[in-house]
Amino acid sequence: MNNAIYLRRKNKALVEKGGENLPENYIAAFLKNIESLGYTFDEELIEVLKTLSLEDLTVFYKETVGILRELVGAHREFKPMYPNFPEQVLEMSEARLYLNAVIHYLTNRLPRFEKKERIPLLDGVKLKIIRRGTLEDFESIFTKLAASNASLSEQDKLDLKWFVENYRDDVFRLMPQEIPQKETVAFLGSLLIDFTENYKDFLRERIKTATDVLRLAAAMSGGDVSLASNTRFRNFRRFERRLLLELLENAGNITEDMLRWKKRWIRLGERLHAGEFAEKYPKVFEAFDTIRNGKPFETFNAKIERALKEKNAVKVAELLETRAGDFARRLDNLLRLDESRRQEVLEKFAACAAQISTPVLLQVKSHFEHRVEPQTLRIFFPKGNVAKVQAIENKLPFLPKETCAAVAKICKDALSERFSKLPPLGKCFLDERLRNFLVPFSQRSASKTLRTITRGSRLALPESNVIRFFLWWKNGKSRTDIDLSAALYDTDFNYRDVISYYNLKNYGGYHSGDIIDAPEGAAEFIDIDIEKTVSMGIRYVVVSLNSFTEQPYCDLPECFAGWMPRTHAGSGEIFEPKTVADRIDLASDTCICIPMIIDLEKKEVIWTDIALKKTPLWNNVQQNLRGVSLMTRAMTSLKKTTLHELFTLHIEAHGEFADSAENADTIFSVEKGITPFDLETIASEFM
């Protein structure tokens, strides 16, 4: 059992009943301490804790407090340049702030100020409730992650690894019947090879194509199972080479599949030594011979491209009927290829729609529903382990409204038919606020956060006067300077100013001072006075974290950031764990991260969690304002499937609407029931 995973993912802890009757003051002290971190226990968990021995309670206390402190960032000490922030920065002259910064840059010494006593925290904070869990519920985390119909984040993979490493062959008891994501199959397969004895049946049942084998080899080498980036294949042990060759021999159409990734297969072939097993695996030997020596071989894609050049939409559609997913991805192009054959293309698409995965159907449905709306930008999230966003001018050729509506209906009908076969939901309450949360199609590049939600989702800003952003980092192998900045834009996305290391105050924003070296850790803060900032014409606040010294975040021992809504900014400590709304770990192979955008007009936090550039040519926000402005425009105008739309489809297919949560058997809401933060449940049971 791992309470760190359980607390992080479900706000639950597993505690077995004891036979003691502890005095209540022990439990009260426990609750008081975790209250300072923003948490408390439910009544059932409190009653169970009373039955523990003092020794067992002490062990549970130390474990729980350590986990919670790390979750909110309280495991580190926050010492900004100006210890009496924000008043100290507000009161100090521009000249003094400038001179302090120059002296720091020249000497690497921080100015010395006496820390004044601060009044206790006056903000009222709604505590997060930790409930008592069960072993079955804890183990369901593995089952749901493995069954997820979305790609997994790095944190998801670490959690899966814990289960396989600790459960060993017993983990097969938790394995779902279906694992829809090929990337998950490959990742799990590599873990099972390392930690179990009975991995062969799992692999033989689920590795069906040459690309599946390529993903498995990438996973075994610690590479990118999405295949978005190249993998440096390791030297495989002899039994591993035989296993990979056996799986490849039993796959279908291996030559054609291998030609899709020709260069990678040539590199992998250098590690597999197929010639050594030519008699045992003749199909594999022949396939490698073909791709290495360039023997003639007409691929399926070559036939598709030839038909596209001929503008023969129906022929392309006929070819794609056997590959429904590819059909869906090419549908927009096919409908534009030959106006006179659109109806035939639609009929063929409808005939194979039932074979298309739920995520693809949802994405195609959303694309065609919004295609006729005026949109200046087309927005893409390239596949890979780094969270990038690309926005280009929308130049899609015209398609009639009726055609777009017909495609959307085909997708909806296919989804409704599929969902109708699921177990009944009973009466369902659907929260209107779920219109602000997007469906989790891909989490592979998601950062580790206190609350994991889908990129592009909008969270209501809690009642507050000030938003306080925080950053903590520690040096890597050399001096490391991470800069916290907040770029300010008006309603039309025009840049107005930036609160940063070179501009500590303006537009109601205040920076705690620039620290350029963190051998023992360093912290920076930015306060945004909401009322003052809005009154000066600012709508969007874009938070940026930039590695000035250009070390990627993955090379640092630790770097994290987050934000706190504060009603009384001068009360309590500058960093108050109790008020932390979100925390994000920066560990990707990039130098710039934009975790969020604040829409002050709508009072919403837009979760972005993206990398602006992998190898930037600039070292602060101001030198790339055009890029930040474009990214802001893109992230605030996303048109993607919402959780409200997804759950509506489910309720219509195998449930009925309830007028309130009290009268519902199933609740879809922001606070209780199935919430936007239950990503593994959504991706495994509703996608």
Side-chain angles (χ1 to χ4, degrees):
M1 174 64 193
N2 187 322
N3 267 327
I5 293 176
Y6 209 14
L7 279 167
R8 172 168 39 79
R9 299 198 82 100
K10 292 199 169 188
N11 262 7
K12 291 181 180 179
L14 183 60
V15 183
E16 297 295 335
K17 270 189 177 183
E20 303 289 330
N21 187 15
L22 281 177
E24 289 186 338
N25 60 300
Y26 288 113
I27 311 301
F30 194 158
L31 289 176
K32 191 67 178 175
N33 286 336
I34 66 170
E35 182 183 324
S36 68
L37 300 172
Y39 290 86
T40 191
F41 295 145
D42 73 346
E43 185 177 0
E44 182 185 358
L45 186 51
I46 290 173
E47 292 302 317
V48 172
L49 292 177
K50 289 180 182 178
T51 69
L52 299 184
S53 67
L54 183 57
E55 182 181 357
D56 288 343
L57 181 69
T58 302
V59 170
F60 180 67
Y61 169 80
K62 289 180 178 179
E63 177 191 41
T64 302
V65 169
I67 294 167
L68 297 181
R69 287 178 65 84
E70 188 167 350
L71 282 177
V72 298
H75 63 305
R76 299 302 179 206
E77 186 177 9
F78 286 75
K79 288 186 176 180
M81 176 180 283
Y82 295 107
N84 302 307
F85 177 81
E87 288 83 0
Q88 192 174 6
V89 174
L90 178 62
E91 295 167 357
M92 199 172 289
S93 69
E94 296 280 0
R96 185 69 261 171
L97 290 170
Y98 173 72
L99 290 173
N100 288 344
V102 170
I103 293 169
H104 174 53
Y105 297 153
L106 291 174
T107 66
N108 203 17
R109 293 196 306 269
L110 291 173
R112 293 185 179 181
F113 299 101
E114 181 183 353
K115 183 181 178 182
K116 297 179 181 178
E117 185 177 353
R118 302 174 75 93
I119 63 174
L121 181 68
L122 299 176
D123 294 15
V125 178
K126 185 178 179 180
L127 300 177
K128 306 176 189 73
I129 300 174
I130 298 173
R131 306 183 188 280
R132 186 189 181 204
T134 65
L135 182 59
E136 182 182 11
D137 184 53
F138 170 72
E139 291 179 339
S140 74
I141 293 172
F142 175 88
T143 306
K144 290 179 179 179
L145 283 175
S148 172
N149 214 345
S151 59
L152 302 177
S153 68
E154 288 304 311
Q155 184 60 62
D156 293 336
K157 292 178 181 178
L158 287 174
D159 291 348
L160 283 180
K161 183 179 179 182
W162 183 90
F163 277 98
V164 177
E165 191 171 356
N166 286 274
Y167 277 62
R168 303 280 170 161
D169 280 272
D170 192 39
V171 81
F172 291 105
R173 170 175 60 83
L174 309 179
M175 204 70 71
Q177 287 187 337
E178 292 186 22
I179 303 178
Q181 281 285 318
K182 297 289 191 179
E183 294 177 27
T184 304
V185 170
F187 179 72
L188 274 176
S190 69
L191 293 176
L192 297 174
I193 291 170
D194 287 340
F195 298 110
T196 72
E197 298 292 332
N198 301 314
Y199 57 83
K200 288 186 179 178
D201 288 343
F202 174 91
L203 294 172
R204 286 167 179 160
E205 183 180 338
R206 291 173 173 85
I207 301 293
K208 301 293 186 182
T209 70
T211 302
D212 292 345
V213 178
L214 184 62
R215 291 187 198 278
L216 177 61
M220 293 167 69
S221 302
D224 180 7
V225 292
S226 77
L227 305 182
S229 58
N230 291 327
T231 292
R232 185 172 183 177
F233 296 108
R234 65 173 173 83
N235 290 322
F236 298 102
R237 291 167 288 182
R238 185 175 179 83
F239 85 88
E240 292 173 326
R241 289 192 286 123
R242 292 175 68 106
L243 173 65
L244 291 170
L245 291 170
E246 177 195 328
L247 293 170
L248 190 56
E249 181 75 13
N250 293 329
N253 301 318
I254 61 173
T255 303
E256 177 172 333
D257 210 8
M258 290 168 70
L259 284 168
R260 292 175 56 208
W261 305 95
K262 181 178 177 180
K263 291 182 179 179
R264 298 191 195 191
W265 273 111
I266 289 174
R267 289 198 299 273
L268 179 55
E270 293 167 356
R271 303 293 190 188
L272 296 181
H273 310 300
E276 186 180 334
F277 305 95
E279 290 187 9
K280 188 164 188 177
Y281 307 117
K283 283 171 54 183
V284 174
F285 179 76
E286 184 180 346
F288 272 112
D289 186 42
T290 298
I291 64 172
R292 282 176 178 149
N293 298 312
K295 291 183 177 180
F297 191 95
E298 184 178 44
T299 65
F300 180 83
N301 281 336
K303 296 175 184 176
I304 294 289
E305 294 303 321
R306 186 164 60 249
L308 286 171
K309 286 180 181 179
E310 296 169 356
K311 296 190 179 299
N312 192 334
V314 173
K315 184 177 180 181
V316 175
E318 288 172 348
L319 288 168
L320 290 173
E321 280 183 304
T322 58
R323 302 192 181 188
D326 289 340
F327 196 160
R329 295 179 183 91
R330 290 180 179 266
L331 184 57
D332 196 298
N333 184 26
L334 288 183
L335 292 171
R336 291 183 272 115
L337 198 62
D338 185 348
E339 182 179 342
S340 66
R341 312 296 292 276
R342 277 180 187 154
Q343 188 57 40
E344 292 175 77
V345 172
L346 286 173
E347 289 171 0
K348 292 188 179 299
F349 177 68
C352 66
Q355 304 168 35
I356 301 170
S357 70
T358 297
V360 173
L361 280 174
L362 288 168
Q363 289 171 311
V364 173
K365 175 178 174 288
S366 179
H367 169 76
F368 281 95
E369 283 176 339
H370 297 294
R371 198 187 186 289
V372 293
E373 299 172 5
Q375 298 179 58
T376 57
L377 296 174
R378 293 182 67 200
I379 301 155
F380 306 93
F381 295 96
K383 185 168 71 170
N385 293 327
V386 176
K388 300 176 184 177
V389 61
Q390 294 180 1
I392 62 173
E393 186 180 351
N394 183 14
K395 294 183 178 180
L396 275 177
F398 171 78
L399 266 181
K401 185 177 181 179
E402 297 76 16
T403 302
C404 295
V407 175
K409 186 177 185 304
I410 291 169
C411 295
K412 181 180 179 180
D413 290 346
L415 289 166
S416 297
E417 174 64 21
R418 181 173 302 166
F419 295 162
S420 69
K421 298 173 183 176
L422 297 175
L425 293 170
K427 293 183 178 180
C428 304
F429 173 74
L430 183 59
D431 191 336
E432 285 296 310
R433 292 174 294 174
L434 292 173
R435 296 182 188 277
N436 289 329
F437 294 88
L438 303 186
V439 172
F441 292 117
S442 173
Q443 292 298 109
R444 69 171 63 85
S445 58
S447 300
K448 178 184 175 183
T449 56
L450 179 58
R451 299 185 298 174
T452 304
I453 58 171
T454 308
R455 192 176 290 117
S457 295
R458 292 171 174 258
L459 300 107
L461 193 64
E463 284 296 325
S464 54
N465 299 321
V466 169
I467 305 168
R468 178 168 294 169
F469 306 110
F470 62 86
L471 164 69
W472 192 95
W473 80 97
K474 189 174 182 180
N475 284 355
K477 294 180 180 178
S478 58
R479 181 182 74 84
T480 305
D481 180 5
I482 309 295
D483 290 323
L484 173 64
S485 304
L488 309 176
Y489 294 86
D490 63 20
T491 300
D492 298 319
F493 305 100
N494 296 311
Y495 165 72
R496 298 289 290 275
D497 204 356
V498 63
I499 309 302
S500 66
Y501 68 88
Y502 53 85
N503 187 34
L504 297 189
K505 56 181 178 180
N506 204 2
Y507 283 89
Y510 310 97
H511 194 294
S512 67
D514 181 35
I515 299 177
I516 63 170
D517 196 7
E520 303 301 323
E524 293 182 9
F525 295 87
I526 288 178
D527 271 14
I528 300 293
D529 184 320
I530 297 173
E531 184 177 351
K532 185 175 182 179
T533 303
V534 170
S535 71
M536 300 180 77
I538 302 302
R539 176 171 178 178
Y540 299 109
V541 180
V542 183
V543 183
S544 173
L545 304 155
N546 175 33
S547 175
F548 185 90
T549 43
E550 299 191 357
Q551 291 103 322
Y553 295 118
C554 59
D555 290 347
L556 304 183
E558 190 171 13
C559 182
F560 62 88
W563 65 283
M564 300 173 277
R566 301 290 287 267
T567 304
H568 304 280
S571 73
E573 295 300 320
I574 301 175
F575 180 81
E576 275 287 352
K578 192 175 185 178
T579 67
V580 172
D582 281 300
R583 176 197 171 218
I584 177 172
D585 279 348
L586 305 176
S588 61
D589 185 13
T590 185
C591 295
I592 300 171
C593 175
I594 304 210
M596 70 195 79
I597 300 169
I598 310 295
D599 185 339
L600 296 176
E601 182 178 298
K602 289 189 174 182
K603 295 187 176 179
E604 293 175 338
V605 178
I606 304 167
W607 189 249
T608 53
D609 185 19
I610 61 173
L612 193 61
K613 281 188 177 180
K614 185 176 180 181
T615 52
L617 300 176
W618 49 277
N619 282 327
N620 58 44
V621 172
Q622 194 170 25
Q623 290 175 318
N624 201 48
L625 292 173
R626 183 178 177 186
V628 175
S629 177
L630 181 65
M631 183 276 305
T632 305
R633 191 185 301 266
M635 294 304 297
T636 55
S637 61
L638 277 177
K639 302 288 187 182
K640 303 289 184 182
T641 307
T642 68
L643 289 179
H644 191 280
E645 292 173 280
L646 174 63
F647 294 145
T648 296
L649 287 169
H650 275 279
I651 296 169
E652 290 175 346
H654 59 122
E656 57 180 295
F657 289 95
D659 55 3
S660 68
E662 290 72 26
N663 297 327
D665 301 303
T666 305
I667 299 173
F668 300 103
S669 176
V670 175
E671 286 97 11
K672 59 182 179 178
I674 297 167
T675 76
F677 312 105
D678 297 322
L679 296 188
E680 65 267 27
T681 298
I682 295 168
S684 62
E685 297 180 11
F686 295 92
M687 292 172 58

